Amino acid sequence: MRALVTAASKHGSTADIAAAVADGLRRRGLEADVRPPEAVVDLEGYDVVVVGSAVYAGRWMKDAKDFVERHASALRWRDVWLFSSGPLGDPPEKVEEPADVVALLSESGARGHAVFSGRLDPHDLGLGERLVARAVRAPLGDFRDWKDVDAWAGRIAQAVGASGATG
């Protein structure tokens, strides 16, 4: 069974989560490719598709939304999961589900959606982004929970019946 893991990532944090999901799927018996959404031409040869996006101002990034729209008909014939990355803090701040996720779940036929904490490193930010982060008092640091990401990959592998799949 072959999986595609794709994620829109502005500063690399969400791309790191996508890579960790792919690693978790591989350890559980799936073949998994990681590619940015804009680089995917078609879904031929993939049984499972995981699509993720960093969330800014409560919305997915354009490249991830465009991916779902461009491949909607092909996604409906595959096992699909979505994930969002963004909440910050320890524990993470309570956030609403991204505004566009309900439509993306429907459009893609996805079986589920997960939200993972993100990372905010001031060295990755431009001046405008640093000013906004300071103005909203966004907590700095890496709040990603790798065990949570791996457990989610395990649930996906188990759901598709991968050999070696354990939660």
Side-chain angles (χ1 to χ4, degrees):
M1 189 166 287
R2 193 162 165 226
L4 169 67
V5 183
T6 184
S9 183
K10 189 169 184 179
H11 297 293
S13 178
T14 307
D16 292 345
I17 293 171
V21 169
D23 287 345
L25 294 174
R26 286 184 200 111
R27 282 195 323 281
R28 291 167 175 94
L30 278 80
E31 293 178 44
D33 298 330
V34 181
R35 300 181 61 203
E38 64 276 11
V40 179
V41 176
D42 63 51
L43 302 180
E44 189 67 35
Y46 292 110
D47 309 293
V48 177
V49 180
V50 178
V51 185
S53 180
V55 175
Y56 291 94
R59 298 198 176 277
W60 267 32
M61 294 180 67
K62 183 178 180 345
D63 285 345
K65 288 189 289 191
D66 287 350
F67 174 89
V68 172
E69 291 169 10
R70 191 170 62 248
H71 298 290
S73 61
L75 289 169
R76 292 199 148 289
W77 294 97
R78 289 163 173 80
D79 289 309
V80 178
W81 280 265
L82 308 179
F83 76 89
S84 299
S85 166
L88 301 170
D90 188 16
E93 63 190 46
K94 179 70 177 142
V95 295
E96 298 293 319
E97 191 164 87
D100 37 20
V101 164
V102 171
L104 292 167
L105 283 164
S106 176
E107 192 169 358
S108 66
R111 296 176 65 174
H113 173 249
V115 177
F116 299 111
S117 294
R119 175 188 63 154
L120 183 61
D121 183 342
H123 298 98
D124 291 340
L125 307 178
L127 176 61
E129 292 170 316
R130 283 195 306 272
L131 292 173
V132 169
R134 187 176 301 135
V136 300
R137 295 188 171 129
L140 301 176
D142 189 345
F143 304 101
R144 296 170 293 180
D145 182 339
W146 298 113
K147 288 181 182 177
D148 189 30
V149 172
D150 187 61
W152 188 65
R155 290 190 294 276
I156 292 170
Q158 192 168 33
V160 299
S163 61
T166 58

